[in-house]
Amino acid sequence: MSNNTLSITDNRTGKNYDVPIEHDTIRASDLRQIKVKSDDFGMMTYDPAYMNTASCKSEITYIDGDLGILEYRGYPIEQLAEKSTFLEVAYLLIHGELPNQEQSDYWVQRIMRHTYVHQTLTRLMEVFRYDSHPMSILISCVAIQSTFYPEARNVDDPKVREKQIWRIIGRLPTIAAFAYRHRIGRPYNYPDSTLDYASNFLYMLDNMGERNYEVDPIMAKALDILFILHADHEQNCSTSVMRSIGSSRVDPFTALSGAAGALYGPLHGGANEQALLMLRQIGSVANIPTYIERVKKGELRLMGFGHRVYKNYDPRAKIIKKIAYDVFNVTKKRSHLIDIAVELEQIALNDPYFVERKLYPNVDFYSGIIYQAMGFPIDMYPVLFAIPRAAGWLAQWAEMVQDKDQKIARPRQIYLGAPRRDYVTIAER
Ligand code: ACO
């Protein structure tokens, strides 16, 4: 018998089964042979929230939560944040390798040309109420693009796939900037495709018609690095949604609007907002000890701390902390929240409650402070997450579409409802 198997004894029947192990994993469908009677459905696994189920094989992003490691296609996030650009990282995630100069020039040119939106979308923007949440606008505007580009449903054609990828990565900053300008009642700025990706986004958000308007390069660089850090995080909630919707072979606009919907939720893309609100609520360094005591009593959670996967310092949090100081140097408005955050972090990292539970700052602990210093309103935070994460969603979607192991996503259930019964007319109920 091979050592690479798992032996299972079914104590209901006394029968033994050997199930192959590959990559420290067994195939759930191999359990179906385990039956009491020959016409039984067979054994399943019960795994709400996919706590211990691999839904795919992937070559895109690697995380070691215990060691605090995050790599895109094998490249450490620290090196990419220091040396790369968001568009290069998007290429890496989607194509698997860093581009050479020619590939890079073509990719950047294609994406930046697709920053222009269909005029119908500009008109559509007007129908949203003045106080519409920009993330709801983004979700709707991504979905509607499937009506402009019906060919996008040919998801098995690599050329068609690539074109939709350019369109989505190109358009998202424009949609986000238009949603923001709509909210504040200002005319839209059309994209300037001669600028880099982050600079063009800041230009569309901020420009007030100044002839010599210049985007601050330090702000643009900080935003670009934040985009790199948020570009992918393997099989999280929104990425699983992207794969799941995409598995029905629907077009990527529809799938991506669903993924953005998942990101919109407060347990996913909304945690940086919660972290910022918490720092405001603490109010001053002097109030930290009382706040920590309340957290330890279980009355509150320290927002921006802890992670389902990382049981060590989230590598993205370290990089973000440094960016915060770069941004403050430009805005000259050092937020007192950073002092509270740094002190809170120090106290928590030395307190046995947090040490024993392996609770460390996550990506959301400092990002809200940076967005605030850059002047973004709080409801733009999930939008700032969605723009770069689209690169990851599209990379994972493209991998899924080409994966011969994949079929339409269709989980099983354990039915615990009423047994068969006969219909009763309303008069008899
Ligand atoms: N503050 C205080 N205590 C915490 C925190 C926290 N932020 N997070 C976990 N704990 C404690 C729990 O109370 C629990 O203690 P116990 O064993 O005494 O009951 C223990 O640590 C384990 O917590 P779980 O909830 O089981 O951990 P889980 O992995 O399910 O939760 C999560 C991870 C949801 C991120 C959690 O740490 C949390 O709520 N953090 C605050 C919210 C946050 O920052 N979310 C952003 C995550 S990053 C992202 O989504 C991009």
Side-chain angles (χ1 to χ4, degrees), residues 6 68 89 94 105 126 185 209 213 221 249 262 337 345 369 406:
L6 181 74
V89 165
I94 290 162
D105 292 346
E126 298 300 332
Y213 180 87
K221 183 67 192 160
R249 268 16 207 194
L337 299 182
E345 180 190 329
I369 306 177
Q406 294 292 338

Side-chain angles (χ1 to χ4, degrees), residues 155-338:
V155 297
D156 291 312
D157 182 332
K159 284 206 157 48
V160 172
R161 277 202 305 270
E162 171 122 72
K163 183 139 193 188
Q164 312 325 308
I165 288 171
W166 299 332
R167 282 177 169 149
I168 292 172
I169 297 178
R171 304 272 150 83
L172 275 175
T174 315
I175 293 170
F178 281 20
Y180 168 78
R181 301 282 293 199
H182 178 71
R183 188 78 189 279
I184 58 173
R186 300 222 167 110
Y188 311 131
N189 288 318
Y190 283 92
D192 179 345
S193 58
T194 62
L195 295 174
D196 66 75
Y197 192 76
S199 299
N200 171 54
F201 180 44
L202 290 174
Y203 161 79
M204 288 190 290
L205 289 165
D206 276 345
N207 180 258
M208 297 293 282
E210 299 98 324
R211 203 161 278 176
N212 300 321
Y213 180 87
E214 274 182 27
V215 178
D216 188 294
I218 296 175
M219 297 282 258
K221 183 67 192 160
L223 191 61
D224 199 65
I225 296 173
L226 286 164
F227 282 176
I228 292 173
L229 302 182
H230 285 90
D232 196 49
H233 213 231
E234 52 117 309
Q235 308 311 315
N236 53 79
C237 174
S238 55
T239 303
S240 310
V241 168
M242 182 81 194
R243 281 179 172 263
S244 214
I245 301 181
S247 76
S248 74
R249 268 16 207 194
V250 75
D251 67 87
F253 297 105
T254 305
L256 200 134
S257 66
L263 186 72
Y264 190 9
L267 297 186
H268 192 3
N272 52 14
E273 174 181 342
Q274 295 305 317
L276 186 84
L277 295 175
M278 176 193 75
L279 295 174
R280 279 192 191 156
Q281 194 193 341
I282 295 174
S284 79
V285 169
N287 296 334
I288 294 175
T290 320
Y291 198 86
I292 294 267
E293 281 315 306
R294 292 185 64 198
V295 169
K296 285 159 63 175
K297 278 190 210 150
E299 291 173 24
L300 301 161
R301 280 211 163 189
L302 204 52
M303 300 312 288
F305 256 71
H307 198 278
R308 174 61 60 75
V309 178
Y310 293 116
K311 301 301 169 198
N312 201 323
Y313 214 110
D314 179 338
R316 300 167 300 175
K318 279 189 194 154
I319 303 167
I320 284 186
K321 187 174 173 184
K322 185 187 165 300
I323 300 173
Y325 290 101
D326 294 346
V327 170
F328 295 150
N329 282 340
V330 174
T331 60
K332 307 281 180 239
K333 279 188 277 179
R334 185 189 155 88
S335 167
H336 75 291
L337 299 182
I338 188 85

